[in-house]
Amino acid sequence: MTNDLIRRSDFDGIALLTLANPPVNALGLAVRQRLTALTAELEADESVRAVVLTAEGRVFVGGADIAEFDRPPEAPHLPDVIAAIEASRKPWIAALNGAALGGGAELALGCHYRIFADTARLGLPETSLGLIPGAGGTQRLPRRIGLAPAIEVITAGRTLSAAEAREAGLADRIAAGELIPEALAFARTLDGALPRPASAAPLADPGHAFWDEARARIARAARGNPAPTAALEAIRAGVAEGFAAGLRAERETFLRLRASDEAAALRHLFFAERAALRPAALRGIEPVPLTRAGVIGGGTMGSGIAAALAAAGLEVRLTETGPEALAAGLERVEAIFEAQVKRGLTDRAGATERMARVTGTVGLGALADCDLVIEAVFEDLAVKRRVFEELVRLCGPEAILATNTSYLDPERIVEGLPHPHRFIALHFFSPAQVMKLLEIVPLAATAPRILATGVALAARLGKIPVQAGNGEGFIGNRILKRYRAEAEALLLAGATPTEIDEAMRAFGLGMGPFEMQDMAGLDIAFRAREAARALGQDLPEGPGDRLVRAGRLGRKSGGGWYDYAPGSRLPQPSPEAAALIAPLVTPGARPSGTEIADRLIAAMAEEGQRICDEGLAQSPSDIDLVEVHGYGFPRHKGGPMFHAARKTRSRTSGA
Ligand code: 3H9
């Protein structure tokens, strides 16, 4: 069986090796063994003048086998496999049929020549897995394309298209027609000629200032992931001490990072994200094909959803209640596409095309022939209910009707309405055109095909779908509620909003809980608490209630947990807020920075576990996906469940 991993066929002195290790031709142990044996065999075979290495499928090589990284490395190691190819007396030509990523790019760089199919690309995404290239990438790429471009590709995990690779000097050819015949023909023209090896290319040291600036810039962008700066150091070692020393530094760093918590966290997310896109329970269920989607409501959420759908190629009908509201909604959509052009996410023509897919209409009449309608109106049961009553009259029984509610019970929105198999909740996160999370909440009667369509829609929008049970706040907002309650408990234990926010930023979140509430406004949660009190719930007066009663609603009222100078977003400690909170604080030991972060993350993980135990999430890794993609939890910490489990493990193992 192993021998099938790489097939050899000979064409008049040219050996063609075809790697076939689906799904992505990863360079697992068996492939490395086979490649090692073949390299020796071809070296000794006098009938062979050159070797073309290609692969089957849409990918050339997706890298090392990530699944092996939880175990100790096993020989033959990839750097040695590649070194043997580079040292061959016969030219090796990599014929890239598709993406060459990570170890795959390094394998291609170790070959003497590279021919790209025009759809092929080459990249070193290791830093996104908390690693650095570990098979020569940090040494060979700078020597092939120059120091500054290589630093960018490696530290940002950027991928070069075939045209960019050609421009950079990495692609000797881009195949105009069929890749393999062209690669074989190219091999024949070489007549055994070998280029100067990458190791012989000189690299000048640009000096301290260059490295210091690069380090600071890369560390800022890495937001706590140690890999990008570690990659820079490996590149620098090779520049300062030469190719061989650079390879040793690279390997040492790669192996150290491979065993790190950050890399384990990023691997966990890599597999969790892919599993989320292919839920086992939906295997074999065909989603409904979608071409036309309606979005009801042109506010921040509705316009963001409309923009996301149009960017993914769907024809969108955006509806509002009147012409003014509609014009404002369409302007919001347009502004989103403008911003995408500015950020380089699309070009002007792309933005025009996206906007052309969005039609605005007043009233729901134009939604009758939509395959999918997403309601994003005011968070009020009666209003949403009226929308659905009208939708079921207008749309055919097969149209999928979705609510984007955050806190209402979707069952109550559609209670008693006909054809309940097609109702579902699709909970987007704001801004919907940016945030990757989509919570998908099937109702009791939702058909599996409708659920599968939600998952397929998320994939099409480039989002991560997480199936949530229909409980209050679904997954994310329920955990948020608990997190906020714990943050307030910390306040009452004597920590200040500044200390708590700083602790969470130091942990890796973009914002702490109090600055976030000041940004969003304290009044929404306050009103929810008051409503619960009116219904007889016994909710003690908390610090947030005291602030709102004193008119401190957050940034919009000039102050909340913090004070803000007029026109400024910079939170300043607030003596007034402190005085309002003070009567509630219990005297005693005040929690420290790490205790604060530990308690807040533990609260999230505990709530996450409860959600799993209640059957409202499919797995702990789904909780992690929700927090990472919906709430800014740092990727390199893997999510609260992963983080908590890892912490418990290292405590019990005494590490
Ligand atoms: C590395 O190379 C280190 C070296 O520098 C040094 C070594 C010494 N390994 O994404 P998809 C699985 S680090 C194992 O849905 P697509 C994936 O889990 C690596 N498995 O397909 C999924 O499995 P399942 C650096 C892998 O067509 C299936 O393949 N490389 C690997 O949308 C399909 O995946 C990277 O970071 C792997 N390397 O996209 C590249 N890759 O079906 C990571 C994928 O059971 N990979 N799987 O759910 C990718 O970016 C995409 O998979 C790729 C294909 C673009 C290749």
Side-chain angles (χ1 to χ4, degrees):
M1 204 50 207
T2 301
N3 286 358
D4 292 330
L5 286 172
I6 305 179
R7 289 192 309 273
R8 172 180 168 179
S9 36
D10 285 50
F11 298 86
D12 192 20
I14 315 292
L16 173 68
L17 302 184
T18 307
L19 180 49
N21 184 26
V24 298
N25 299 318
L27 300 169
L29 177 62
V31 173
R32 299 197 302 277
Q33 284 168 337
R34 174 79 175 132
L35 198 48
T36 302
L38 274 165
T39 309
E41 177 185 311
L42 294 165
E43 203 58 14
D45 187 337
E46 290 309 325
S47 74
V48 173
R49 284 179 289 129
V51 183
V52 171
L53 175 63
T54 191
E56 248 177 37
R58 287 188 303 113
V59 175
F60 172 66
V61 171
D65 185 344
I66 300 169
E68 284 183 355
F69 289 174
D70 287 324
R71 305 191 291 272
E74 270 183 90
H77 304 298
L78 190 57
D80 302 328
V81 177
I82 294 173
I85 291 174
E86 195 176 42
S88 166
R89 292 175 294 116
K90 305 169 185 189
W92 279 61
I93 299 110
L96 272 53
N97 51 301
L101 298 175
E106 293 173 299
L107 178 61
L109 286 166
C111 289
H112 305 102
Y113 301 96
R114 282 154 298 280
I115 301 193
F116 282 57
D118 61 359
T119 52
R121 52 200 175 90
L122 183 146
L124 292 164
E126 284 88 340
T127 56
S128 64
L129 290 167
L131 304 168
I132 68 168
T138 65
Q139 304 306 309
R140 289 191 182 90
L141 192 68
R143 286 170 173 81
R144 292 263 179 228
I145 70 170
L147 194 53
I151 288 174
E152 211 237 304
V153 168
I154 292 168
T155 62
R158 209 165 84 69
T159 298
L160 301 174
S161 65
E164 288 170 323
R166 172 90 195 186
E167 181 120 328
L170 263 189
D172 297 280
R173 292 270 167 96
I174 297 179
E178 275 195 56
L179 176 69
I180 302 307
E182 288 198 33
L184 292 172
F186 176 75
R188 265 179 220 112
T189 63
L190 291 173
D191 204 20
L194 290 170
R196 189 165 69 149
S199 55
L203 262 186
D205 193 330
H208 279 290
F210 172 91
W211 295 110
D212 291 348
E213 186 280 324
R215 186 170 222 292
R217 178 169 41 81
I218 290 161
R220 255 196 320 276
R223 292 193 47 201
N225 175 2
T229 49
L232 183 76
E233 294 310 329
I235 298 170
R236 186 175 186 175
V239 174
E241 299 162 46
F243 186 79
L247 280 182
R248 281 195 300 277
E250 176 194 84
R251 185 73 184 158
E252 189 268 319
T253 305
F254 171 79
L255 290 175
R256 178 170 55 78
L257 291 180
R258 187 182 183 276
S260 68
D261 284 346
E262 287 86 354
L266 290 162
R267 273 198 305 277
H268 159 69
L269 290 175
F270 178 88
F271 288 116
E273 282 159 1
R274 279 157 178 82
L277 287 163
R278 286 187 277 274
L282 298 178
R283 210 156 281 161
I285 300 177
E286 269 302 303
V288 177
L290 301 177
T291 33
R292 198 166 305 126
V295 177
I296 306 176
T300 310
M301 186 51 95
S303 56
I305 296 173
L309 295 169
L314 281 128
E315 204 184 297
V316 181
R317 307 253 164 94
L318 180 67
T319 80
E320 257 297 352
T321 45
E324 271 174 34
L326 178 61
L330 289 170
E331 257 171 47
R332 278 187 204 104
V333 177
E334 194 142 24
I336 290 170
F337 294 143
E338 273 304 311
Q340 291 177 346
V341 173
K342 280 205 189 94
R343 292 184 52 210
L345 299 174
T346 184
D347 55 15
R348 171 96 9 238
T352 310
E353 237 172 66
R354 288 173 186 195
M355 197 63 214
R357 283 192 214 112
V358 183
T359 320
T361 66
V362 171
L364 307 186
L367 304 182
D369 62 348
C370 285
D371 314 309
L372 161 75
V373 179
I374 302 172
E375 160 283 304
V377 303
F378 192 64
E379 200 63 0
D380 178 291
L381 182 61
V383 176
K384 287 189 190 277
R385 170 105 196 142
R386 270 199 302 278
V387 165
F388 274 82
E389 280 166 353
E390 194 172 344
L391 282 177
V392 294
R393 274 197 303 274
L394 282 169
C395 304
E398 288 312 313
I400 301 171
L401 304 180
T403 171
N404 177 55
T405 184
S406 303
Y407 285 104
L408 297 172
D409 177 353
E411 295 283 7
R412 293 195 59 202
I413 299 176
V414 300
E415 208 167 6
L417 296 180
H419 311 298
H421 70 281
R422 42 69 175 273
F423 296 127
I424 192 162
L426 297 176
H427 184 212
F428 289 79
F429 288 72
S430 191
Q433 74 280 11
V434 175
M435 297 298 284
K436 283 209 166 263
L437 177 62
L438 182 65
E439 278 183 339
I440 302 183
V441 188
L443 310 192
T446 305
R449 186 158 188 232
I450 305 301
L451 181 56
T453 308
V455 173
L457 175 70
R460 186 162 171 194
L461 300 180
K463 298 197 185 297
I464 303 291
V466 172
Q467 188 181 323
N470 183 17
E472 195 195 320
F474 307 135
I475 296 176
N477 282 337
R478 174 163 161 188
I479 294 176
L480 180 65
K481 192 169 168 189
R482 173 73 194 279
Y483 171 71
R484 286 186 171 161
E486 191 64 23
E488 291 200 6
L490 284 161
L491 274 188
L492 302 191
T496 65
T498 309
E499 285 167 345
I500 296 170
D501 284 345
E502 266 172 13
M504 296 321 287
R505 262 187 275 110
F507 180 80
L509 269 87
M511 256 191 197
F514 295 108
E515 40 193 353
M516 197 212 280
Q517 280 181 60
D518 268 4
M519 190 181 72
L522 276 65
D523 46 330
I524 302 170
F526 171 77
R527 276 205 303 272
R529 284 193 299 273
E530 287 288 272
R533 284 180 184 121
L535 290 174
Q537 253 192 57
D538 180 24
L539 290 179
E541 182 86 347
D545 297 315
R546 291 179 69 98
L547 293 195
V548 175
R549 289 192 210 288
R552 301 185 64 91
L553 309 184
R555 263 196 221 163
K556 62 183 170 190
S557 71
W561 298 102
Y562 295 95
D563 288 339
Y564 299 85
S568 164
R569 293 175 164 194
L570 191 72
Q572 307 280 358
S574 169
E576 189 190 325
L580 286 164
I581 299 165
L584 302 175
V585 173
T586 355
R590 299 172 57 214
S592 71
T594 45
E595 270 169 47
I596 290 171
D598 282 355
R599 267 181 64 177
L600 282 170
I601 305 303
M604 290 168 99
E606 231 176 76
E607 195 65 27
Q609 191 54 55
R610 252 182 231 155
I611 291 172
C612 291
D613 294 344
E614 291 168 23
L616 297 171
Q618 309 270 301
S619 69
S621 62
D622 273 1
I623 304 280
D624 288 339
L625 291 177
V626 165
E627 292 304 317
V628 167
H629 291 292
Y631 296 85
F633 198 96
R635 262 189 96 74
H636 63 277
K637 297 269 167 78
M641 308 306 283
F642 178 86
H643 185 73
R646 192 103 179 158
K647 229 174 147 112
T648 311
R649 196 150 24 111
S650 66
R651 224 181 277 130
T652 50
S653 70

